[in-house]
Amino acid sequence: MKSLLLALSVFFACLFIANAQSKQPNILFLIADDWSFPHAGVYGDKVVRTPTFDRLAAEGVLFTNAYTASPSCSPSRASILTGRYPHENESGGNLWSEWPAQYPTYVSLLEEIGYFTGSTRKGWGPGDFKVSGLEHNPAGKSFSDFAEFLKNRPDGAPFTFWFGSSDPHREYVANTGIQAGMKLEDVVVPGFFPDNDCVRNDILDYYFEIERFDRECGQLIAMLEEMGELDNTIIVMTSDNGMPFPRAKANLYDYGTRMPLVIRWPKKVKSETVIHDFVNFVDFAPSFLEAAGKTPENMSGQSLWAFLDGEKQDRDQIFLERERHANVRKGDLSYPMRAVRTQQFLYIWNPMPERNPAGDPTVHQSVGQYGDVDHSITKFLMMALEGKAQPGQPDYFQLAFGSRPEEELYDVEKDPYQLNNLASDPSFASVKEEMRKELLAWMEKTGDPRFEHPKSTYWDELRYTPDYQMKDIDWQKQIEEYRIRPPFGPNSQNGIPCTN
């Protein structure tokens, strides 16, 4: 009798395990707004505190070469959802665009097979999805928060939930980083910024919002633990594009495109795994669909699961692009860029170098002067350096706001901030030629209109959805007002020095 009971116990235990293993996983997608690699503790940043991100890295896989498909909110998020490159998403390749409803998303496809779907805060956007006939944001039906979503979830239904924070997007409350205990002297200032306390303070305020995002993600994960769903949930924590500073966001340099990324899913991902191969955000959608048992179709991305299990894939390079970011050039013009990045080199093609990559020096419609760069004290200080480059220092104004040649080539191993363009150096001619060929082959394969028509006006002519008119701002006054703010608490009389 005892042996029979033991056999039955083993049978039902095995049946339970088999059912649990066959259960479709939940998906929790945690996405920041304007957060760059390497700004997390696990990447070696000594200032910003990211215990949630670091925990997921310890319990899952950490990526050191994860790249957004485009360094701009709407096209980046569209590529995440559709598994297609921005130029394949047509109108979805622009910021403030119309949603390309002809292409299904992983959210809509999972909904078809019984997933309960939802989102909160910033999903796909900014842009207009209602004009495309959608009733709710492509990232999922809107809920006030994760708790409300879970309350409405049908019993036993697998779910996919998109948590879209607005951190660390600007505007910032000045001095929040200092007040949170971070120190100016600990900041590592990227080489394309002037290094002074004012810029360091701006970076600390950015760090403050990264930390807030990290805390909120931790709260959502705690809910999963409480309900016993943690290990059956694929958790992805990342960002849409780079930090909102000059030469970062809206640029194809690393600080615009290289993203923090961790994935936790014990069924497929071993703890403390570190991946140095290249991963593109177009890989998310096919990965989620495959995990749910649905075959991805018409997607350019590759599922990550076989790769993480040891399958050899072509991940020696990554392809990057951007079209119109903000509406900041007279005539509503885009600034197109295409790029290929390998472990050693970054090659960028600017097919319309006659246009200004940062936008017009005076306001066209949105944002302000050089409007593809978000307003900040760092931006205003660099604008004030026009014509004032110092011997032995980079020309900070030119790096952020100046015109660029048609081709750029950087040795990213020796030049991590991409300051020294090697495209005209004869000793790198063969490298440049090979990378140009790789880029053009990818453009042809994926049907990029700029392969046959480099100066196409397609993305210029697409509707820019908001209807407002900005004015130029007095940025010199902004510098002065920021300079006299006391950064070390309400009783301090010390202002922040805003010069080199």
Side-chain angles (χ1 to χ4, degrees), residues 286-361:
S287 299
F288 296 155
L289 291 169
E290 183 182 288
K294 187 172 179 62
T295 303
E297 296 180 3
N298 300 317
M299 292 183 175
S300 294
Q302 303 178 80
S303 173
L304 293 165
W305 309 125
F307 168 64
L308 292 174
D309 198 35
E311 178 184 284
K312 178 63 178 175
Q313 293 182 356
D314 180 13
R315 293 186 177 275
D316 296 330
Q317 69 235 336
I318 204 82
F319 297 99
L320 310 165
E321 63 183 285
R322 68 148 274 181
E323 283 295 338
R324 188 172 64 200
H325 185 61
N327 200 7
V328 295
R329 294 171 195 84
K330 188 176 182 181
D332 303 340
L333 303 181
S334 174
Y335 186 81
M337 289 187 267
R338 301 291 186 269
V340 56
R341 168 73 151 81
T342 66
Q343 292 286 355
Q344 185 173 0
F345 292 102
L346 170 66
Y347 170 78
I348 300 175
W349 179 43
N350 301 298
M352 294 188 175
E354 65 275 12
R355 298 180 180 181
N356 190 304
D360 291 346

Side-chain angles (χ1 to χ4, degrees), residues 33-35 73 122 166-174 193 198-199 201-207 209 212 242-246 248-249 373-380 482:
D33 195 356
D34 299 359
W35 177 27
C73 295
K122 187 172 181 177
S166 60
D167 290 334
H169 197 287
R170 293 188 185 272
E171 298 177 349
Y172 301 150
V173 176
F193 300 155
C198 201
V199 170
N201 196 60
D202 200 19
I203 294 173
L204 289 186
D205 294 342
Y206 155 75
Y207 280 173
E209 295 208 353
R212 185 165 60 193
M243 61 195 297
F245 285 75
K249 177 179 176 180
V373 182
D374 290 6
H375 287 332
S376 67
I377 186 60
T378 300
K379 171 182 176 177
F380 300 145
Y482 196 93

Side-chain angles (χ1 to χ4, degrees), residues 10-267:
V10 171
F11 172 77
F12 285 115
C14 292
L15 184 63
F16 175 80
I17 292 170
N19 286 337
Q21 289 177 338
S22 64
K23 185 179 180 183
Q24 289 170 305
N26 307 311
I27 300 163
L28 179 61
F29 193 74
L30 309 167
I31 183 167
D33 195 356
D34 299 359
W35 177 27
S36 289
F37 175 96
H39 300 143
V42 72
Y43 288 128
D45 193 296
K46 303 297 185 184
V47 185
V48 66
R49 296 156 291 197
T50 54
T52 303
F53 188 85
D54 299 353
R55 172 196 170 180
L56 293 176
E59 297 176 359
V61 55
L62 175 73
F63 295 85
T64 63
N65 273 304
Y67 285 76
T68 180
S70 180
S72 176
C73 295
S74 308
S76 168
R77 291 161 187 256
S79 288
I80 290 169
L81 289 160
T82 66
R84 299 169 62 85
Y85 288 108
H87 66 261
E88 296 179 303
N89 282 328
E90 301 177 25
S91 62
N94 277 354
L95 184 74
W96 284 107
S97 54
E98 296 179 356
W99 175 256
Q102 63 271 36
Y103 303 117
T105 68
Y106 77 80
V107 174
S108 64
L109 293 171
L110 290 178
E111 196 169 44
E112 290 176 3
I113 60 172
Y115 269 71
F116 183 57
T117 67
S119 66
T120 192
R121 304 192 201 173
K122 187 172 181 177
W124 171 79
D128 186 351
F129 58 82
K130 292 182 179 179
V131 72
S132 304
L134 275 65
E135 294 182 357
H136 59 70
N137 192 284
K141 181 182 176 182
S142 180
F143 289 85
S144 60
D145 54 31
F146 192 38
E148 185 202 3
F149 170 79
L150 293 174
K151 183 179 179 181
N152 283 273
R153 173 195 181 194
D155 289 343
F159 68 80
T160 178
F161 186 77
W162 173 297
F163 172 66
S165 175
S166 60
D167 290 334
H169 197 287
R170 293 188 185 272
E171 298 177 349
Y172 301 150
V173 176
N175 308 322
T176 47
I178 287 265
Q179 292 164 3
M182 290 180 268
K183 298 180 180 179
L184 296 174
E185 59 267 27
D186 293 337
V187 175
V188 175
V189 179
F192 43 89
F193 300 155
D195 186 355
N196 58 57
D197 284 353
C198 201
V199 170
R200 287 170 175 258
N201 196 60
D202 200 19
I203 294 173
L204 289 186
D205 294 342
Y206 155 75
Y207 280 173
F208 174 84
E209 295 208 353
I210 294 172
E211 293 188 357
R212 185 165 60 193
F213 170 66
D214 189 87
R215 284 195 301 274
E216 288 195 290
C217 290
Q219 293 165 4
L220 271 65
I221 292 168
M223 293 183 196
L224 287 177
E225 289 183 288
E226 290 171 8
M227 60 193 289
E229 292 274 10
L230 179 62
D231 285 349
N232 191 47
T233 302
I234 300 170
I235 302 175
V236 176
M237 186 172 175
T238 190
S239 173
D240 59 352
N241 52 249
M243 61 195 297
F245 285 75
R247 206 173 165 88
K249 177 179 176 180
N251 286 274
L252 299 188
Y253 308 116
D254 278 4
Y255 275 75
T257 58
R258 193 175 183 184
M259 298 290 98
L261 174 62
V262 288
I263 299 178
R264 184 191 191 278
W265 188 26
K267 181 178 179 180

Side-chain angles (χ1 to χ4, degrees), residues 266-280:
K267 181 178 179 180
K268 289 286 188 179
V269 177
K270 296 178 182 178
S271 61
E272 297 186 325
T273 299
V274 180
I275 297 293
H276 300 296
D277 299 75
F278 288 100
V279 169
N280 191 298

